[in-house]
Amino acid sequence: MKDESWRQQWPGKKVADDNGSPALKIVQKKSVKHNEYTVDGISGATLTSTGVERSINYWISEQGYGPFLQRLKQDPEMLYR
C-alpha cells in the first residue's frame, strides 16, 4: 500500500491482547472509539482492510504463530539458545 497516512497509524498498535489473543480491528466508521488495537481503514478499500485484519489476526492466532509467540513472551531468551 502506498497510502502513507494509513501506514503511519501502525507504529505502537497492538495486534494481540494481554492473553495473546488476536485483537486488531481495522475500522471503517470514524465514530468508533479508537484505542491501541484499532486502525482506520482506507476509504473505498473495505475488502483490503478486511483482508489485512484477518491476515494479521490469523497469523497471531492458535492456527498461526500464536503458540510460538506465547512461548516467546514467557521465555524471550529462547531465541538465543
Side-chain angles (χ1 to χ4, degrees):
M1 291 209 165
K2 293 184 179 185
D3 188 327
E4 189 61 31
S5 63
W6 188 75
R7 293 183 346 176
Q8 289 177 353
Q9 294 181 72
W10 288 85
K13 295 296 179 176
K14 295 181 180 180
V15 295
D17 63 19
D18 292 337
N19 296 318
S21 298
L24 176 70
K25 298 287 182 216
I26 298 179
V27 297
Q28 298 295 332
K29 297 178 182 176
K30 301 294 182 194
S31 61
V32 173
K33 187 175 181 179
H34 288 70
N35 59 27
E36 65 267 18
Y37 303 106
T38 57
V39 174
D40 284 328
I42 297 173
S43 290
T46 303
L47 292 177
T48 300
S49 297
T50 300
V52 169
E53 179 181 318
R54 287 182 179 173
S55 179
I56 291 172
N57 285 336
Y58 172 82
W59 286 109
I60 63 165
S61 74
E62 290 294 315
Q63 294 82 20
Y65 293 109
F68 170 75
L69 294 172
Q70 285 296 332
R71 286 192 313 272
L72 182 60
K73 185 177 180 180
Q74 294 171 357
D75 182 14
E77 296 298 315
M78 69 184 269
L79 293 177
Y80 306 106
R81 291 187 205 131

